[in-house]
Amino acid sequence: MWKAYAKAGLTANPDEPDLAVYATDPALKLLRDGLAGYQAKGQVFKGEYGSTPSAVEATPAAAPTTVIIADCLDSTNFLVYKASGEKADDIPGGRRSTSATVKSQGGVWRVTSFAVREKGTC
């Protein structure tokens, strides 16, 4: 999901088709709304997220349909730029504790919700 979001951020495209491959509402809406906000301000973002997700819970245990994933998302090399190519600000990214709920829907796993905590939480 984060790679699709980074790809969409290159043009701040809330309609990037890859987003729906990895996320569904309400997570998908949250991603799209964020991108639309950047687009409205004439901003894009560039860089890569560092991510090492791990499943911390799966239910039901015998045949999981819901998995909770924990991560420490590293946005150190992920920055916001103006359309002109200049940095939008000098605020560096950082490491943030994240969690996501992933559900199997029709045999396809997608993120249904996620939380990204403030910088320095992991």
Side-chain angles (χ1 to χ4, degrees), residues 45-114:
F45 42 89
K46 301 175 187 178
E48 288 188 26
Y49 285 119
S51 179
T52 54
S54 62
V56 294
E57 182 181 335
T59 56
T65 56
T66 301
V67 175
I68 306 299
I69 296 175
D71 198 357
C72 182
L73 190 65
D74 187 351
S75 62
T76 303
N77 296 315
F78 197 80
L79 302 171
V80 179
Y81 292 84
K82 299 175 186 176
S84 64
E86 300 172 65
K87 283 186 192 174
D89 58 46
D90 286 327
I91 301 170
R95 295 170 52 85
R96 302 163 186 270
S97 176
T98 62
S99 61
T101 300
V102 182
K103 293 187 178 189
S104 177
Q105 300 172 332
V108 177
W109 291 89
R110 288 193 180 94
V111 176
T112 58
S113 65
F114 65 91

